[in-house]
Every structure is written in structure tokens, then in C-alpha cells.
Amino acid sequence: MRRFLLAFVLFAALAAVPAFADTAMLTLVARAMIFALAATSLGFILGQGGLVSFGHAATMGIGAYAVGILMEEGVRDALVSFPLAMAAAGLFALVTGAISLRTRGVYFIMITLAFGQMAFFVTQSLSAYGGDDGLTLAARSTVAGMRWLKDPKTFHYVVLGLLAFTVLVSTMLARSPFGRVLAAGRDNERRLRALGVDPYAYRLVAYVIAGAFAGLAGALYANLTEFVSPAYLSWHRSAEFIVMVVAGGPGSALGPVLGALGVVLLEDGLAHLTEHWRIIFGPLLVLLVLARGGIATLLGGRRDG
């Protein structure tokens, strides 16, 4: 009940933002929500499966590039480009995950980092689509031919709705038998195998789902900034997502949302106060990490799986 109340208050507050925020604030909050969507997808595989991926930003960047490239080729409708962005990111996750998930621990971290950097360098070499300089979008995607996403308030609610949908899917998967198998493999893989269950296929499916939703976040981010860049695929962005998940709490679907909102908004607020904001920001993150369970636990949330 407490977790439901927390979710209700959080999303109600986000829904109320357009009533008092200017365009700059709407852009900042939209950015935080898009990162929250990507962090939620990472939080699912990290919290449920114990998979620490340093290549998660690559799937988000692939989603962003899918929208940018399709727009360059004349495909501007989100009803076409967004599903294709998710499919491209999911396919990348499938191919790389099939190899990466053969490893565990630090080896998994390093191989996902390697695949992520490979994707980063590939986008740098796309000279037809801006190369290292990135690609500027002509405009935001249309929806069934309508330019609804051009309006900041409409875009805000589209992002909010997709974020809520992502959190709902993550929660349902965590509570399903599928999520229980992932959690069992995380806690005691040897015992799970002794029961005749191979967690590899479950982890791969979860990895693909997480990659597809990160691709959706990338599609939204490309529309927010009206620009795509190889920097979107950098391992630094993956590290930011991991920080958001850990700060918010990887054991709860709301944790990554709280972590992303907290990190993005706090970072922006401190940057306006002092140019040395990282000196304040760093210790605050350390305190959140030391508080086991992150922000979600501090606010009364519980683990999903």
C-alpha cells in the first residue's frame, strides 16, 4: 500500500509540472523522465537478474540513431520510427547478450563495456549521418501525421505516459514466474540449475526487453534534443544509469525513477549554485549508496523480487 501511494504521489507530481513550469523546466523534467525510463529498464535486469551492464547506453543510442536516420530517409512518423527504434535496440541486445550472458561477474561487465564501445565507434564512423559531429533532426517526429510532439506540454505527457507504462511492465515482470526465475538465478544459480532450470534463456529475454525499452528512451531523447550524437552511446552514460539505479534502489521498479529524477534535478540545481557542484554532488551520492536500498527504501518502498 505504501509503495502504491508513493507511486501515485510521484506520478501525480510529474503530471502537475506543466501547470507551473516554463519551457526550460519542462525540458529538464522531460530529460529526467527519459533517463528514468532508461534507468528503469536497466534496473530490471540489475535488480532482478544481478546483471550490471556497461553497454546499456548503447541500446539507448541505437534507438536515438534509428529515429535520426529514419528521419533523414524521410520516415518521420513516431508510430513507425519508435517501434523500429525498439526493434533495432532489442536486436543489438539479443546479439550481444547471447555472447555476454555466457559470462558472469566482472567478465560480463567488461564484455558489455566492449560491445558498447564498439557501437560507439560505429556511430562515429557514420559519415553520411554526421559522424563524430552527430546528426541534427529537422524537427520532432510526427504522430499519425500530426505534430503533437512539437508542443512541450504534450511531449511531457507522452514521456510521462511511456515512463508509467515501463514501470508497470517492469513491476509485472518482476512479480511474474519469469521474474522469480531471474531472482532465483541471481541469488543461487547453482540451486536453480539443480532444479533443472537453466537461467540463460530467461536472462537473455530480460536483456532484450531491457534493451528495447532503452531504445524507446533513445527515440524520445532524440526528439527532445532534436539531435543525436555518438556521445549518447558512451560508457560514461551507462555509468550514469548505473548510478541512478543504485541511488534510487535496484530492488524496486520505482527506485530507478526516483534515482534518475534525483540525480538529474540535483545535478542541475547544484550547477546553478556553484561551478564546483561535483564536490557537493559526490558525497551526496555516496550517502545514498551507503543507505542500502537507496531512495526508494528511505521513502518506504520494498523490493519487487
mmCIF file of all heavy atoms in Angstrom, residues 65-104:
data_model
loop_
_atom_site.group_PDB
_atom_site.id
_atom_site.type_symbol
_atom_site.label_atom_id
_atom_site.label_comp_id
_atom_site.label_asym_id
_atom_site.label_seq_id
_atom_site.Cartn_x
_atom_site.Cartn_y
_atom_site.Cartn_z
ATOM 1 N N TYR A 65 19.618 6.905 -32.758
ATOM 2 C CA TYR A 65 20.107 6.932 -34.135
ATOM 3 C C TYR A 65 19.088 6.370 -35.116
ATOM 4 O O TYR A 65 19.001 6.819 -36.273
ATOM 5 C CB TYR A 65 21.438 6.185 -34.250
ATOM 6 C CG TYR A 65 22.621 7.105 -34.190
ATOM 7 C CD1 TYR A 65 23.244 7.392 -32.986
ATOM 8 C CD2 TYR A 65 23.100 7.729 -35.339
ATOM 9 C CE1 TYR A 65 24.323 8.254 -32.912
ATOM 10 C CE2 TYR A 65 24.180 8.603 -35.289
ATOM 11 C CZ TYR A 65 24.792 8.861 -34.074
ATOM 12 O OH TYR A 65 25.847 9.745 -34.021
ATOM 13 N N ALA A 66 18.303 5.380 -34.677
ATOM 14 C CA ALA A 66 17.267 4.831 -35.552
ATOM 15 C C ALA A 66 16.284 5.924 -35.953
ATOM 16 O O ALA A 66 15.911 6.041 -37.121
ATOM 17 C CB ALA A 66 16.542 3.683 -34.848
ATOM 18 N N VAL A 67 15.881 6.738 -34.984
ATOM 19 C CA VAL A 67 14.958 7.838 -35.271
ATOM 20 C C VAL A 67 15.619 8.863 -36.188
ATOM 21 O O VAL A 67 15.021 9.337 -37.164
ATOM 22 C CB VAL A 67 14.491 8.505 -33.964
ATOM 23 C CG1 VAL A 67 13.752 9.816 -34.255
ATOM 24 C CG2 VAL A 67 13.581 7.568 -33.181
ATOM 25 N N GLY A 68 16.879 9.208 -35.874
ATOM 26 C CA GLY A 68 17.587 10.199 -36.678
ATOM 27 C C GLY A 68 17.806 9.755 -38.111
ATOM 28 O O GLY A 68 17.582 10.522 -39.057
ATOM 29 N N ILE A 69 18.231 8.519 -38.291
ATOM 30 C CA ILE A 69 18.497 8.006 -39.638
ATOM 31 C C ILE A 69 17.201 7.866 -40.427
ATOM 32 O O ILE A 69 17.133 8.222 -41.616
ATOM 33 C CB ILE A 69 19.244 6.656 -39.554
ATOM 34 C CG1 ILE A 69 20.657 6.885 -39.019
ATOM 35 C CG2 ILE A 69 19.287 5.982 -40.921
ATOM 36 C CD1 ILE A 69 21.423 5.618 -38.723
ATOM 37 N N LEU A 70 16.156 7.356 -39.773
ATOM 38 C CA LEU A 70 14.869 7.229 -40.451
ATOM 39 C C LEU A 70 14.330 8.590 -40.880
ATOM 40 O O LEU A 70 13.770 8.738 -41.971
ATOM 41 C CB LEU A 70 13.858 6.532 -39.533
ATOM 42 C CG LEU A 70 14.034 5.018 -39.370
ATOM 43 C CD1 LEU A 70 13.148 4.489 -38.259
ATOM 44 C CD2 LEU A 70 13.733 4.295 -40.680
ATOM 45 N N MET A 71 14.552 9.597 -40.029
ATOM 46 C CA MET A 71 14.088 10.935 -40.382
ATOM 47 C C MET A 71 14.869 11.484 -41.576
ATOM 48 O O MET A 71 14.307 12.154 -42.458
ATOM 49 C CB MET A 71 14.201 11.871 -39.179
ATOM 50 C CG MET A 71 13.501 13.205 -39.374
ATOM 51 S SD MET A 71 13.307 14.146 -37.848
ATOM 52 C CE MET A 71 12.080 13.171 -36.974
ATOM 53 N N GLU A 72 16.169 11.187 -41.620
ATOM 54 C CA GLU A 72 16.982 11.597 -42.768
ATOM 55 C C GLU A 72 16.492 10.949 -44.054
ATOM 56 O O GLU A 72 16.595 11.525 -45.146
ATOM 57 C CB GLU A 72 18.447 11.228 -42.531
ATOM 58 C CG GLU A 72 19.184 12.177 -41.630
ATOM 59 C CD GLU A 72 19.433 13.522 -42.288
ATOM 60 O OE1 GLU A 72 20.165 13.581 -43.295
ATOM 61 O OE2 GLU A 72 18.876 14.529 -41.798
ATOM 62 N N GLU A 73 15.944 9.731 -43.911
ATOM 63 C CA GLU A 73 15.459 8.992 -45.083
ATOM 64 C C GLU A 73 13.989 9.260 -45.364
ATOM 65 O O GLU A 73 13.385 8.605 -46.220
ATOM 66 C CB GLU A 73 15.697 7.494 -44.876
ATOM 67 C CG GLU A 73 17.152 7.114 -44.673
ATOM 68 C CD GLU A 73 18.047 7.528 -45.826
ATOM 69 O OE1 GLU A 73 17.561 7.509 -46.988
ATOM 70 O OE2 GLU A 73 19.218 7.880 -45.574
ATOM 71 N N GLY A 74 13.390 10.205 -44.637
ATOM 72 C CA GLY A 74 12.025 10.616 -44.930
ATOM 73 C C GLY A 74 10.942 9.967 -44.091
ATOM 74 O O GLY A 74 9.753 10.224 -44.316
ATOM 75 N N VAL A 75 11.325 9.137 -43.107
ATOM 76 C CA VAL A 75 10.338 8.485 -42.234
ATOM 77 C C VAL A 75 10.272 9.275 -40.927
ATOM 78 O O VAL A 75 11.165 9.180 -40.088
ATOM 79 C CB VAL A 75 10.704 7.016 -41.951
ATOM 80 C CG1 VAL A 75 9.649 6.371 -41.048
ATOM 81 C CG2 VAL A 75 10.847 6.248 -43.247
ATOM 82 N N ARG A 76 9.198 10.044 -40.749
ATOM 83 C CA ARG A 76 9.118 10.951 -39.605
ATOM 84 C C ARG A 76 8.064 10.563 -38.575
ATOM 85 O O ARG A 76 8.015 11.135 -37.495
ATOM 86 C CB ARG A 76 8.815 12.373 -40.091
ATOM 87 C CG ARG A 76 9.870 12.909 -41.038
ATOM 88 C CD ARG A 76 9.714 14.387 -41.274
ATOM 89 N NE ARG A 76 10.807 14.922 -42.080
ATOM 90 C CZ ARG A 76 11.094 16.212 -42.178
ATOM 91 N NH1 ARG A 76 10.352 17.097 -41.538
ATOM 92 N NH2 ARG A 76 12.106 16.618 -42.918
ATOM 93 N N ASP A 77 7.222 9.603 -38.899
ATOM 94 C CA ASP A 77 6.120 9.260 -38.008
ATOM 95 C C ASP A 77 6.609 8.384 -36.855
ATOM 96 O O ASP A 77 7.235 7.345 -37.067
ATOM 97 C CB ASP A 77 5.013 8.537 -38.771
ATOM 98 C CG ASP A 77 3.673 8.628 -38.053
ATOM 99 O OD1 ASP A 77 3.601 8.224 -36.883
ATOM 100 O OD2 ASP A 77 2.706 9.125 -38.660
ATOM 101 N N ALA A 78 6.302 8.814 -35.623
ATOM 102 C CA ALA A 78 6.710 8.073 -34.432
ATOM 103 C C ALA A 78 6.079 6.690 -34.374
ATOM 104 O O ALA A 78 6.658 5.769 -33.782
ATOM 105 C CB ALA A 78 6.342 8.864 -33.176
ATOM 106 N N LEU A 79 4.909 6.522 -34.978
ATOM 107 C CA LEU A 79 4.248 5.220 -34.974
ATOM 108 C C LEU A 79 5.045 4.193 -35.786
ATOM 109 O O LEU A 79 4.844 2.982 -35.618
ATOM 110 C CB LEU A 79 2.830 5.340 -35.535
ATOM 111 C CG LEU A 79 1.882 6.248 -34.746
ATOM 112 C CD1 LEU A 79 0.517 6.304 -35.416
ATOM 113 C CD2 LEU A 79 1.746 5.767 -33.296
ATOM 114 N N VAL A 80 5.938 4.676 -36.624
ATOM 115 C CA VAL A 80 6.828 3.792 -37.387
ATOM 116 C C VAL A 80 8.228 3.784 -36.778
ATOM 117 O O VAL A 80 8.811 2.725 -36.523
ATOM 118 C CB VAL A 80 6.909 4.230 -38.864
ATOM 119 C CG1 VAL A 80 7.906 3.359 -39.639
ATOM 120 C CG2 VAL A 80 5.538 4.171 -39.512
ATOM 121 N N SER A 81 8.775 4.974 -36.523
ATOM 122 C CA SER A 81 10.169 5.069 -36.086
ATOM 123 C C SER A 81 10.389 4.571 -34.660
ATOM 124 O O SER A 81 11.418 3.951 -34.366
ATOM 125 C CB SER A 81 10.656 6.519 -36.205
ATOM 126 O OG SER A 81 9.889 7.396 -35.406
ATOM 127 N N PHE A 82 9.434 4.787 -33.759
ATOM 128 C CA PHE A 82 9.621 4.347 -32.380
ATOM 129 C C PHE A 82 9.665 2.821 -32.264
ATOM 130 O O PHE A 82 10.563 2.270 -31.618
ATOM 131 C CB PHE A 82 8.541 4.939 -31.474
ATOM 132 C CG PHE A 82 8.806 6.368 -31.055
ATOM 133 C CD1 PHE A 82 9.514 7.232 -31.864
ATOM 134 C CD2 PHE A 82 8.334 6.859 -29.845
ATOM 135 C CE1 PHE A 82 9.756 8.544 -31.507
ATOM 136 C CE2 PHE A 82 8.573 8.165 -29.460
ATOM 137 C CZ PHE A 82 9.283 9.022 -30.291
ATOM 138 N N PRO A 83 8.702 2.088 -32.869
ATOM 139 C CA PRO A 83 8.808 0.622 -32.836
ATOM 140 C C PRO A 83 10.079 0.103 -33.498
ATOM 141 O O PRO A 83 10.681 -0.871 -33.025
ATOM 142 C CB PRO A 83 7.558 0.160 -33.601
ATOM 143 C CG PRO A 83 6.579 1.270 -33.419
ATOM 144 C CD PRO A 83 7.412 2.518 -33.453
ATOM 145 N N LEU A 84 10.497 0.749 -34.604
ATOM 146 C CA LEU A 84 11.723 0.324 -35.264
ATOM 147 C C LEU A 84 12.944 0.612 -34.390
ATOM 148 O O LEU A 84 13.907 -0.169 -34.394
ATOM 149 C CB LEU A 84 11.866 1.024 -36.620
ATOM 150 C CG LEU A 84 10.919 0.535 -37.721
ATOM 151 C CD1 LEU A 84 11.105 1.360 -38.997
ATOM 152 C CD2 LEU A 84 11.166 -0.942 -38.023
ATOM 153 N N ALA A 85 12.910 1.710 -33.652
ATOM 154 C CA ALA A 85 13.999 2.022 -32.720
ATOM 155 C C ALA A 85 14.094 0.958 -31.631
ATOM 156 O O ALA A 85 15.192 0.504 -31.272
ATOM 157 C CB ALA A 85 13.776 3.400 -32.103
ATOM 158 N N MET A 86 12.938 0.551 -31.100
ATOM 159 C CA MET A 86 12.921 -0.503 -30.084
ATOM 160 C C MET A 86 13.401 -1.823 -30.670
ATOM 161 O O MET A 86 14.141 -2.570 -30.008
ATOM 162 C CB MET A 86 11.509 -0.658 -29.511
ATOM 163 C CG MET A 86 11.012 0.551 -28.737
ATOM 164 S SD MET A 86 9.344 0.316 -28.062
ATOM 165 C CE MET A 86 9.667 -0.913 -26.775
ATOM 166 N N ALA A 87 13.001 -2.113 -31.911
ATOM 167 C CA ALA A 87 13.411 -3.361 -32.555
ATOM 168 C C ALA A 87 14.923 -3.382 -32.796
ATOM 169 O O ALA A 87 15.586 -4.407 -32.562
ATOM 170 C CB ALA A 87 12.661 -3.532 -33.872
ATOM 171 N N ALA A 88 15.476 -2.247 -33.256
ATOM 172 C CA ALA A 88 16.919 -2.174 -33.510
ATOM 173 C C ALA A 88 17.708 -2.350 -32.218
ATOM 174 O O ALA A 88 18.701 -3.092 -32.167
ATOM 175 C CB ALA A 88 17.263 -0.836 -34.172
ATOM 176 N N ALA A 89 17.265 -1.670 -31.156
ATOM 177 C CA ALA A 89 17.950 -1.787 -29.867
ATOM 178 C C ALA A 89 17.801 -3.196 -29.304
ATOM 179 O O ALA A 89 18.750 -3.756 -28.740
ATOM 180 C CB ALA A 89 17.380 -0.759 -28.889
ATOM 181 N N GLY A 90 16.611 -3.768 -29.452
ATOM 182 C CA GLY A 90 16.389 -5.126 -28.970
ATOM 183 C C GLY A 90 17.222 -6.145 -29.727
ATOM 184 O O GLY A 90 17.742 -7.100 -29.132
ATOM 185 N N LEU A 91 17.380 -5.947 -31.037
ATOM 186 C CA LEU A 91 18.203 -6.847 -31.837
ATOM 187 C C LEU A 91 19.668 -6.761 -31.411
ATOM 188 O O LEU A 91 20.352 -7.792 -31.303
ATOM 189 C CB LEU A 91 18.069 -6.494 -33.321
ATOM 190 C CG LEU A 91 18.879 -7.353 -34.302
ATOM 191 C CD1 LEU A 91 18.468 -8.818 -34.203
ATOM 192 C CD2 LEU A 91 18.704 -6.840 -35.729
ATOM 193 N N PHE A 92 20.147 -5.547 -31.174
ATOM 194 C CA PHE A 92 21.523 -5.374 -30.680
ATOM 195 C C PHE A 92 21.696 -6.079 -29.333
ATOM 196 O O PHE A 92 22.704 -6.763 -29.103
ATOM 197 C CB PHE A 92 21.844 -3.884 -30.541
ATOM 198 C CG PHE A 92 23.200 -3.600 -29.968
ATOM 199 C CD1 PHE A 92 24.326 -3.637 -30.771
ATOM 200 C CD2 PHE A 92 23.355 -3.287 -28.622
ATOM 201 C CE1 PHE A 92 25.590 -3.374 -30.243
ATOM 202 C CE2 PHE A 92 24.605 -3.025 -28.081
ATOM 203 C CZ PHE A 92 25.730 -3.071 -28.900
ATOM 204 N N ALA A 93 20.697 -5.927 -28.452
ATOM 205 C CA ALA A 93 20.756 -6.585 -27.143
ATOM 206 C C ALA A 93 20.732 -8.104 -27.296
ATOM 207 O O ALA A 93 21.413 -8.819 -26.553
ATOM 208 C CB ALA A 93 19.585 -6.121 -26.275
ATOM 209 N N LEU A 94 19.957 -8.604 -28.254
ATOM 210 C CA LEU A 94 19.877 -10.049 -28.483
ATOM 211 C C LEU A 94 21.224 -10.611 -28.919
ATOM 212 O O LEU A 94 21.698 -11.620 -28.378
ATOM 213 C CB LEU A 94 18.808 -10.345 -29.536
ATOM 214 C CG LEU A 94 18.672 -11.814 -29.980
ATOM 215 C CD1 LEU A 94 18.258 -12.694 -28.821
ATOM 216 C CD2 LEU A 94 17.686 -11.925 -31.135
ATOM 217 N N VAL A 95 21.841 -9.969 -29.905
ATOM 218 C CA VAL A 95 23.107 -10.464 -30.448
ATOM 219 C C VAL A 95 24.221 -10.369 -29.408
ATOM 220 O O VAL A 95 24.969 -11.333 -29.180
ATOM 221 C CB VAL A 95 23.485 -9.682 -31.721
ATOM 222 C CG1 VAL A 95 24.877 -10.083 -32.202
ATOM 223 C CG2 VAL A 95 22.461 -9.929 -32.817
ATOM 224 N N THR A 96 24.333 -9.213 -28.770
ATOM 225 C CA THR A 96 25.410 -9.032 -27.795
ATOM 226 C C THR A 96 25.131 -9.798 -26.505
ATOM 227 O O THR A 96 26.048 -10.320 -25.878
ATOM 228 C CB THR A 96 25.613 -7.539 -27.482
ATOM 229 O OG1 THR A 96 24.385 -6.975 -26.972
ATOM 230 C CG2 THR A 96 26.032 -6.784 -28.728
ATOM 231 N N GLY A 97 23.855 -9.861 -26.121
ATOM 232 C CA GLY A 97 23.501 -10.580 -24.905
ATOM 233 C C GLY A 97 23.733 -12.068 -25.024
ATOM 234 O O GLY A 97 24.106 -12.733 -24.054
ATOM 235 N N ALA A 98 23.515 -12.631 -26.227
ATOM 236 C CA ALA A 98 23.730 -14.061 -26.438
ATOM 237 C C ALA A 98 25.174 -14.447 -26.136
ATOM 238 O O ALA A 98 25.448 -15.565 -25.688
ATOM 239 C CB ALA A 98 23.375 -14.431 -27.876
ATOM 240 N N ILE A 99 26.083 -13.514 -26.360
ATOM 241 C CA ILE A 99 27.505 -13.759 -26.060
ATOM 242 C C ILE A 99 27.838 -13.352 -24.627
ATOM 243 O O ILE A 99 28.450 -14.118 -23.878
ATOM 244 C CB ILE A 99 28.392 -12.982 -27.052
ATOM 245 C CG1 ILE A 99 28.086 -13.420 -28.494
ATOM 246 C CG2 ILE A 99 29.865 -13.180 -26.733
ATOM 247 C CD1 ILE A 99 28.742 -12.573 -29.544
ATOM 248 N N SER A 100 27.417 -12.141 -24.239
ATOM 249 C CA SER A 100 27.777 -11.599 -22.927
ATOM 250 C C SER A 100 27.270 -12.459 -21.782
ATOM 251 O O SER A 100 27.957 -12.638 -20.763
ATOM 252 C CB SER A 100 27.226 -10.178 -22.779
ATOM 253 O OG SER A 100 27.647 -9.346 -23.825
ATOM 254 N N LEU A 101 26.075 -13.011 -21.936
ATOM 255 C CA LEU A 101 25.452 -13.758 -20.844
ATOM 256 C C LEU A 101 26.060 -15.134 -20.644
ATOM 257 O O LEU A 101 25.658 -15.855 -19.715
ATOM 258 C CB LEU A 101 23.943 -13.868 -21.082
ATOM 259 C CG LEU A 101 23.181 -12.545 -20.935
ATOM 260 C CD1 LEU A 101 21.761 -12.665 -21.455
ATOM 261 C CD2 LEU A 101 23.190 -12.083 -19.486
ATOM 262 N N ARG A 102 27.018 -15.488 -21.489
ATOM 263 C CA ARG A 102 27.783 -16.706 -21.245
ATOM 264 C C ARG A 102 28.803 -16.496 -20.129
ATOM 265 O O ARG A 102 29.419 -17.442 -19.651
ATOM 266 C CB ARG A 102 28.517 -17.138 -22.524
ATOM 267 C CG ARG A 102 27.592 -17.494 -23.684
ATOM 268 C CD ARG A 102 26.852 -18.776 -23.436
ATOM 269 N NE ARG A 102 25.992 -19.134 -24.572
ATOM 270 C CZ ARG A 102 25.178 -20.181 -24.581
ATOM 271 N NH1 ARG A 102 25.113 -20.968 -23.512
ATOM 272 N NH2 ARG A 102 24.423 -20.434 -25.629
ATOM 273 N N THR A 103 28.992 -15.243 -19.760
ATOM 274 C CA THR A 103 29.946 -14.891 -18.710
ATOM 275 C C THR A 103 29.186 -14.339 -17.502
ATOM 276 O O THR A 103 27.994 -14.051 -17.581
ATOM 277 C CB THR A 103 30.946 -13.840 -19.207
ATOM 278 O OG1 THR A 103 30.230 -12.632 -19.526
ATOM 279 C CG2 THR A 103 31.664 -14.321 -20.456
ATOM 280 N N ARG A 104 29.900 -14.175 -16.406
ATOM 281 C CA ARG A 104 29.294 -13.632 -15.197
ATOM 282 C C ARG A 104 30.282 -12.673 -14.524
ATOM 283 O O ARG A 104 31.477 -12.665 -14.812
ATOM 284 C CB ARG A 104 28.914 -14.750 -14.210
ATOM 285 C CG ARG A 104 27.842 -15.712 -14.721
ATOM 286 C CD ARG A 104 26.492 -15.059 -14.816
ATOM 287 N NE ARG A 104 25.923 -14.802 -13.489
ATOM 288 C CZ ARG A 104 24.939 -13.963 -13.269
ATOM 289 N NH1 ARG A 104 24.439 -13.271 -14.276
ATOM 290 N NH2 ARG A 104 24.451 -13.797 -12.049
#
